[in-house]
Structure formats: C-alpha cells, structure tokens
Amino acid sequence: MAQNNHSAQDAGYLIPSCEHSLFTNAPLGIIMSTPDGRILSANPAIGRMFGYDSPDELIDSVNGMTTQLYAAQPDREEIIRLLRENDEVFNYECRGVHRNGAMFWTSINVSTIRDYNGEITHFLSFISDITQRKQMEEELQQSEELLRTVTTSIPGMLYQFRMHPDGAFDFPYMSEGVRVMFGISPEEATNDVQSVMGRVHEEDLDALQGAIMASAENMTPYELIHRHRKPNGEVKWIKVLSTPKEYEDGSIVWNGVALDITEQKAIEAKLAKRNIALENAERLTGLGSWEWNMDDNELHVSKNWLAIHGSSNPNPTMEQILPLAHPDDVPAIEEAFVRAMESGDPYSIEHRIIRQDTDEVRWVRSHGEVRSPQGDQIQTMYGAVLDITESVQDRQALVKSEKRLRALFEASSDIIYFMNPDCSEMLQLHGVEFISDTLEPNSNWLKEYIYPDDQQRVLEALHEAIRTEDTFELQHRIIRGDGSMRWVYSRAVPVHNDAGKIEEWFGAASDITTRKQAEEALQLSETRFRNLIEGSPDAISINVDEVFVYVNDSAVDLF
C-alpha cells in the first residue's frame, strides 16, 4: 500500500531508529530510492547482493552514474509505470547486474511513498536474489522438454500404471504417445483406466493380467506382447516392458514403456509366410538351403538341408558340416569354397555325403556364392544343395550302357542303328565300314542308304511296324558309299518310355548279299535245268525210293 511521509532531504532518507536494526539485518535487499533513480539508502544485504563491500559503496556507484542495477533498462521503466498506476509492484522478476558484470535474477517488491500533496517522493524496494530458483526452473523446464522430446520420439509411449492396496488400478501418468498408439488423449487414459485396459484384445487379456499379477507378487519386471483395439476398430500389436516399485502405502506403481510393433509383426508374418513358401518349394524341388555369416561363423540351414543330410542338428557350425562330406571329396569342397571367397564368383560342385542317420553315401550338387549386403561389410555365403543320387546312378548306368553298346558296335559285324519314333530321322548309325556312319540325326537317310526300287517297300514296312508297334523286319537293298548295291536283312524293335510311348527304334542290319547271290544263282541254275529237261524229246523221270518225284512231258507221253 502507498505510504505518506515527509520529503527526503538531499542528504538522503533517514531510517527511523526503531526500524534501523530490522533494516540493517534483513536477509533481503532493501533500497530507498527517488523517482529519478538516486539511491537514498540501502541495507548491507543489497550491497552484498550486487557485489559491493558496503551499502555506501553501492550508493556512491549508482548515484555516480557508473553502475546500472538493471540488466535491461526497460525493466526499470516498466516498474515505474506500474507504480504510478498501482502504487505497488509485487514479485516483478528481472535480471540485475553484479559488480563484476555477471547477471543474476531478482524478484522485486516496490511500494511508493508520497508526501502530503500525494506526490511520489520515494520508492521502497525489497529485492531477493532468485538466481538459484530460476536456474532450477530452467533445469526443470529443460528436463520437461527433454522428457517431451523423448516421449514424442519413441515409437510408443511412456506410462505409470498403479495398483492400489484395495486392488483398484489407474494410470497416474500417460505420455502423448497414447494419442497415436491408442487413439485417446493422456487425460482420458489417466481419468479412466478402462479406456486403455478395456480395449486389450480379448484373446490376450488373461495373459496381460497374469503378467501384471505375477510381477506384483514377485516384484519383478515383466515383458509382454499383446494386441490392442483402438476406438476406430484398428488392431495394434503392442510390446510392453514394465518395472514395479512398491510404496509405503502398499500401492505398486509400474514405470513402463509401450512400443507399437504392428509393422514389425506384419513383417514377421510376411517372413513366416515366405519361409513356409520356401520350405514348400524346397520340399517340392528337393533343394536344401544354407546361409553362412563368415564374420561370426554363424550358420543357418533349412529343414530340407537337414533331411538331405539325415541330420538333427538345426544349428551346426561350419566345422561340423565338413565331416558330413565323403572324406575323398573334402579337398575339392574346400578348394571350391576358397576360390569363391577369393574371387567372389559362384561355385558349383558335385560331391558325396554320408548321411548321419543311415551312414548311406549319397551324391549331391552344391552351389554357393559370397554376397555382402548393401552398405554392410559383413560377408555372407549363401548356398543350396540338391540330392542327385538317382541322377548320378542313372548317369553311371547310361555310361555303362554306352560302353556296352560301343563294345557291341565294335564286336558286331552288323549295322547298328537308332531311329526316332516315327522313323523320319536316322538318329545314329554304326556302319562297320559297310556304309557311312551317322553320328547326327539325318532326315535324308532313305535316299542316302536305301536302293531306289526298295524305298517304297521299306517305308510301307516301317509304317506298318509303327502302327502296330511291332517289330520291323525286311530284306532290302542299300547303297554303299562307293555307289555299289548290297542286300541286308534289317530288323528293328520299338523302345518304349515309362509312359508306354515309343521313344526310339533300335535296329540291326546284316549283310546277306552273298546269300542272296547264292539264292539267285541256284534259282537260275534250277531254271536252266528245268528248261533243258522239259524241252528234251527223251523220256526223263526221277525216282526216289521207288516213287516218281518228277517226270517230263516226253515221259508222260511214253507211259
């Protein structure tokens, strides 16, 4: 309130003796000043506050216009304005200037002193150093700002969840992240616990309640993944990590974080679906895959890889899988690995393995290559393995069969040939130096090998054999490379595949030229003999065991 007093003398305002002790020993700074800014009196506390040894030193410095107590002149002007309007100023906070130039925070309470005419003669100011408080407020503000930054930056929310001694629950605190995660405000969550707990997915509610009660009983942290249904019906996957603390009143408060892992769960679902598809693909194709992180020697193998090797170890090391290979093939495998790692080129190798469950030796084809994920220095080798035992056995059988067939070719004096299913192409022909060999499919074989007058007979016989899927058998003439003609007895049989269809014809042709010539000579001789006997005027007869087997016309006439 305004106070009335006599005008101060030029020498300064004199503190009444009864108040002097209080003025001098007051723990806060007190200044009596004029409206124009001259200090009339000051107590020791204000001197110490501004860094002076005595109040007189402060007064001399300020009145000498060498010291400015306000860090900002507008603060003094604003205080004067408020005093003229209200006669009093309470808790005006501004910065003062220490004698050493440092600034500090002050809180000022000022009253006006007027004369009998109502004119302002003095200001009585009470000043407190609030620098420590302001620093604490700034630190608190920074801490709160940091907390807001953290809580808004994490992909979820921070919370406090409390269980009262009577078993009731509430949320004393909920960060702003609840708006995005659960679609409600922090105030809604703290005012109504069911706005959060009532929307936990019904299939996950028992697990969440069980985790909370177990944590309360054992006073241990809990971690849980559950689903939460937002007010709009959207379902979120939430990962909760919470630590309990028990208070004297018997309540338990969990400080926790809830993370939105919906996207992670979607990726996990896609990955699981892809892994199932990969497993099915491996099962259908017979492939087994593996992945080797060479930096930490971590090896991952697929289920089908384990099935191929007859192994039950889902996490083998590289040192453990090398012995699965046949000892004679290990050097070649190691060489392929080293070459791939040094050159970066893929490798492919066929080798044997020894199944762990049966000790059976199996053949596999193994592929692998080294890759470095983009922007990553870690090198990883990826590979696949395929059981090719049956293929190798078939191949070995084929090689053995070809060797036998070649031996047959070399040992046989017959022409050996193969034709396609409709006999339009001669696939292969071994001519045993009788006619030219055919190593490549030849569709002009009819004109090249078959005598022109016999070509039609050959085609008709082949077509009948194809129609009936029966043996082709025919005597016909062929043309040799020198243009000469030879007789052959050709015979071919159909070779069927697993489906019962003709896959090719396998045939052989024997040279019967000498026999055909002998037959023709005999036939000519018989014709000449018959003509001579039948034309003779003499009676001629042939008697075998007193039975006439032949008589000529003259003999018939005679008898």
Side-chain angles (χ1 to χ4, degrees):
M1 297 182 60
Q3 299 180 20
N4 294 323
N5 205 338
H6 295 287
S7 300
Q9 299 177 2
D10 291 341
Y13 181 80
L14 297 177
I15 303 296
S17 59
C18 62
E19 301 175 359
H20 186 271
S21 177
L22 178 62
F23 179 82
T24 302
N25 298 315
L28 72 163
I30 303 174
I31 292 178
M32 181 76 76
S33 62
T34 64
D36 61 4
R38 289 187 305 111
I39 297 178
L40 301 179
S41 61
N43 70 345
I46 195 68
R48 292 191 298 271
M49 188 182 301
F50 282 86
Y52 293 92
D53 295 331
S54 67
D56 292 338
E57 188 178 12
L58 170 65
I59 293 171
D60 292 341
S61 177
V62 173
N63 290 344
M65 302 303 289
T66 60
T67 300
Q68 174 57 262
L69 299 184
Y70 293 94
Q73 183 63 24
D75 282 329
R76 182 178 185 280
E77 295 172 357
E78 176 64 11
I79 291 175
I80 296 297
R81 184 188 69 78
L82 293 173
L83 286 171
R84 292 187 184 281
E85 291 180 358
N86 305 312
D87 280 345
E88 293 177 325
V89 173
F90 293 102
N91 298 322
Y92 186 90
E93 296 182 359
C94 63
R95 289 181 297 175
V97 181
H98 195 274
R99 184 178 187 180
N100 63 11
M103 290 184 289
F104 63 98
W105 280 96
T106 64
S107 175
I108 302 177
N109 294 291
V110 186
S111 298
T112 59
I113 299 177
R114 297 177 182 270
D115 60 17
Y116 293 115
N117 298 321
E119 297 294 329
I120 297 175
T121 59
H122 308 90
F123 295 127
L124 182 60
S125 303
F126 298 88
I127 303 174
S128 301
D129 185 345
I130 60 170
T131 302
Q132 185 176 6
R133 192 198 82 194
K134 293 294 287 187
Q135 289 175 342
M136 293 176 62
E137 289 177 351
E138 289 179 2
E139 291 175 359
L140 178 61
Q141 183 178 1
Q142 291 174 357
S143 176
E144 291 177 345
E145 182 63 30
L146 177 61
L147 178 61
R148 281 194 296 271
T149 300
V150 170
T151 56
T152 55
S153 298
I154 63 173
M157 66 181 190
L158 300 178
Y159 69 89
Q160 285 185 323
F161 181 63
R162 177 169 53 198
M163 183 173 70
H164 294 273
D166 61 1
F169 295 95
D170 67 355
F171 286 100
Y173 171 77
M174 187 73 72
S175 71
E176 285 290 326
V178 72
R179 296 183 186 274
V180 176
M181 181 173 289
F182 293 158
I184 60 176
S185 67
E187 293 75 22
E188 288 178 279
T190 55
N191 292 335
D192 181 11
V193 68
Q194 286 302 313
S195 65
V196 176
M197 299 301 291
R199 293 192 173 276
V200 175
H201 196 283
E202 56 275 8
E203 295 179 5
D204 300 336
L205 185 58
D206 288 345
L208 177 59
Q209 291 175 341
I212 292 172
M213 298 312 295
S215 175
E217 181 178 352
N218 302 314
M219 290 306 295
T220 53
Y222 75 88
E223 178 179 329
L224 186 72
I225 293 177
H226 67 86
R227 288 162 291 179
H228 186 93
R229 199 183 307 276
K230 295 175 66 174
N232 62 5
E234 180 185 3
V235 175
K236 292 277 190 178
W237 279 96
I238 308 299
K239 182 176 183 179
V240 177
L241 302 98
S242 198
T243 302
K245 181 179 180 181
E246 188 171 8
Y247 288 83
E248 293 181 356
D249 63 357
S251 63
I252 299 175
V253 175
W254 283 268
N255 294 292
V257 58
L259 303 174
D260 184 349
I261 60 169
T262 305
E263 185 175 348
Q264 175 186 333
K265 294 294 287 187
I267 294 173
E268 288 177 356
K270 289 182 180 178
L271 182 59
K273 186 176 181 180
R274 188 168 299 174
N275 286 339
I276 292 174
L278 178 60
E279 288 181 6
N280 289 333
E282 288 191 354
R283 179 174 53 83
L284 293 173
T285 60
L287 283 170
S289 61
W290 53 271
E291 176 184 334
W292 177 34
N293 186 319
M294 292 185 285
D295 287 351
D296 58 14
N297 198 27
E298 184 177 342
L299 184 67
H300 300 283
V301 296
S302 69
K303 290 182 179 179
N304 214 46
W305 186 96
L306 294 172
I308 290 172
H309 291 80
S311 174
S312 58
N313 182 6
N315 298 301
T317 64
M318 187 57 68
E319 290 75 15
Q320 290 173 329
I321 70 168
L322 278 177
L324 303 183
H326 193 283
D328 294 345
D329 297 343
V330 169
I333 297 172
E334 291 178 335
E335 181 183 351
F337 266 55
V338 172
R339 187 167 59 250
M341 288 186 288
E342 291 178 348
S343 67
D345 295 329
Y347 78 85
S348 180
I349 184 174
E350 292 184 3
H351 63 87
R352 290 162 293 176
I353 62 171
I354 302 175
R355 285 184 61 94
Q356 296 298 288
D357 52 354
T358 62
D359 290 333
E360 178 187 2
V361 175
R362 305 285 293 180
W363 278 92
V364 297
R365 180 182 294 114
S366 180
H367 302 273
E369 63 178 318
V370 177
R371 291 183 183 177
S372 296
Q374 189 173 4
D376 198 341
Q377 298 300 317
I378 298 176
Q379 284 192 320
T380 303
M381 180 175 282
Y382 300 89
V385 63
L386 177 68
D387 189 324
I388 58 170
T389 303
E390 285 72 20
S391 176
V392 170
Q393 290 173 344
D394 290 345
R395 193 166 62 208
Q396 292 173 342
L398 178 61
V399 170
K400 188 175 182 180
S401 175
E402 288 178 345
K403 289 181 178 179
R404 288 177 176 176
L405 185 59
R406 185 169 299 279
L408 175 63
F409 285 169
E410 294 175 353
S412 175
S413 60
D414 289 347
I415 299 170
I416 305 297
Y417 62 88
F418 296 90
M419 302 187 77
N420 69 341
D422 65 1
C423 296
S424 61
E425 287 185 334
M426 182 72 69
L427 301 178
Q428 188 178 0
L429 184 145
H430 182 65
V432 291
E433 300 181 356
F434 186 67
I435 57 176
S436 301
D437 291 343
T438 295
L439 301 179
E440 298 294 334
N442 182 0
S443 58
N444 200 38
W445 64 272
L446 189 66
K447 292 183 178 180
E448 289 186 12
Y449 296 125
I450 308 303
Y451 192 74
D453 292 346
D454 294 346
Q455 290 176 7
Q456 186 61 35
R457 285 196 312 115
V458 170
L459 285 178
E460 290 175 355
L462 284 173
H463 290 160
E464 180 62 16
I466 294 171
R467 185 186 68 82
T468 61
E469 296 190 10
D470 202 356
T471 304
F472 161 78
E473 193 171 8
L474 188 68
Q475 295 182 14
H476 61 85
R477 289 165 288 182
I478 63 170
I479 304 172
R480 299 187 64 182
D482 58 4
S484 61
M485 182 272 291
R486 303 287 289 183
W487 276 93
V488 295
Y489 169 63
S490 183
R491 190 174 186 272
V493 295
V495 179
H496 297 83
N497 58 22
D498 293 339
K501 300 295 183 180
I502 296 177
E503 193 170 74
E504 63 182 3
W505 290 82
F506 173 71
S510 304
D511 183 2
I512 60 171
T513 305
T514 301
R515 192 188 79 190
K516 290 294 288 185
Q517 289 174 344
E519 290 175 352
E520 289 176 355
L522 177 59
Q523 184 179 3
L524 179 60
S525 175
E526 288 178 348
T527 301
R528 288 176 178 173
F529 178 73
R530 185 177 295 276
N531 290 337
L532 176 62
I533 293 176
E534 290 181 352
S536 174
D538 296 327
I540 300 173
S541 64
I542 299 175
N543 186 298
V544 178
D545 296 333
E546 298 182 355
V547 176
F548 290 102
V549 295
Y550 175 80
V551 292
N552 66 355
D553 291 341
S554 297
V556 173
D557 293 340
L558 179 62
F559 293 104

